[in-house]
Amino acid sequence: LKKNIIINANLKCFSPLISGFDLKEIINKFNDIKSFSNLIDILNYKIDSGITEVKSIVSNLKLSSEYIYIDSFLLENNDIDISTKGRIDIYNSKLNLRNNVEFNNLDLPGFQIVMIGDINKPELKYNLDKLRKKIINKTLNNLMKNNDNKLIIEPNKFFELLNNENLNSSKIFEKLF
């Protein structure tokens, strides 16, 4: 009998806080890009602290004996919206979610994050190529704007930046290219 139970649920949550990152800080860093070091700061940003205030979370869920189906999940913020669809396997602690990220007040392309596998350590798949290109383009344009339409790279400062102990330059080059 309990295998046939299906519950439809609507979730609405207003002004929740998300712990682990500060979206405003990331956006401010993006808006303040004026040098390669600013770009590297963004690419090297660790998402492990801070709080982000969200306008709302609205979701339509279907609960069955084995799965939670997420028909729609929308997280709205002034700067970013994330919509999600997918399912969570309750018994096997597995998930399969597709998250679409859209920027509201920034001239940045949206992207998709796919989360599959174990709930505690899901595999993340995403393609950030368009986003990377846009950020690098903005950096180069700002550098040129501040230097009479010339791109000036001082090799000693650039290599000094890359040799910084707190900077993992190989990971940054992976992210850039």
Side-chain angles (χ1 to χ4, degrees):
L1 177 70
K2 62 182 174 179
K3 286 193 177 214
N4 295 328
I5 295 174
I6 296 175
I7 299 170
N8 290 313
N10 295 318
L11 167 72
K12 292 181 182 179
C13 184
F14 298 99
S15 301
L17 300 175
I18 297 176
S19 178
F21 67 99
D22 184 346
L23 184 60
K24 283 278 186 217
E25 181 182 350
I26 296 168
I27 289 169
N28 288 340
K29 285 180 181 278
F30 173 76
N31 287 332
D32 291 339
I33 291 177
K34 293 183 177 74
S35 68
F36 278 115
S37 62
N38 295 139
L39 173 64
I40 290 172
D41 283 345
I42 288 175
L43 295 174
N44 213 31
Y45 184 81
K46 290 186 179 179
I47 298 178
D48 61 1
S49 65
I51 294 175
T52 296
E53 188 174 331
V54 176
K55 267 201 251 181
S56 65
I57 296 175
V58 178
S59 182
N60 295 319
L61 307 169
K62 188 185 317 179
L63 305 152
S64 73
S65 58
E66 297 178 32
Y67 297 102
I68 298 173
Y69 295 95
I70 301 169
D71 294 330
S72 68
F73 179 97
L74 180 61
L75 180 146
E76 292 181 301
N77 182 297
N78 290 333
D79 303 301
I80 193 170
D81 291 340
I82 302 172
S83 61
T84 302
K85 289 187 177 194
R87 75 175 189 192
I88 300 170
D89 182 332
I90 298 168
Y91 288 116
N92 296 313
S93 297
K94 303 281 185 197
L95 56 83
N96 184 339
L97 302 174
R98 298 200 183 303
N99 305 280
N100 292 305
V101 179
E102 297 293 330
F103 296 95
N104 297 328
N105 299 321
L106 296 172
D107 183 24
L108 291 172
F111 59 95
Q112 186 177 75
I113 300 171
V114 177
M115 300 170 68
I116 55 173
D118 188 272
I119 286 176
N120 296 316
K121 280 193 167 187
E123 179 183 343
L124 300 176
K125 295 181 180 183
Y126 46 86
N127 183 341
L128 301 177
D129 288 345
K130 290 179 183 176
L131 184 61
R132 281 188 196 117
K133 287 176 186 176
K134 186 74 173 186
I135 291 172
I136 292 169
N137 191 25
K138 176 183 170 96
T139 303
L140 294 175
N141 285 336
N142 282 346
L143 286 171
M144 291 175 62
K145 188 188 315 179
N146 294 331
N147 293 303
D148 297 323
N149 288 327
K150 295 177 187 171
L151 183 60
I152 300 171
I153 299 175
E154 297 177 39
N156 290 338
K157 285 187 178 179
F158 185 71
F159 290 120
E160 182 181 309
L161 184 64
L162 293 178
N163 289 326
N164 183 328
E165 288 178 22
N166 300 322
L167 194 63
N168 188 338
S169 56
S170 63
K171 282 192 177 184
I172 288 171
F173 280 111
E174 282 177 25
K175 290 179 181 180
L176 283 172
F177 310 106

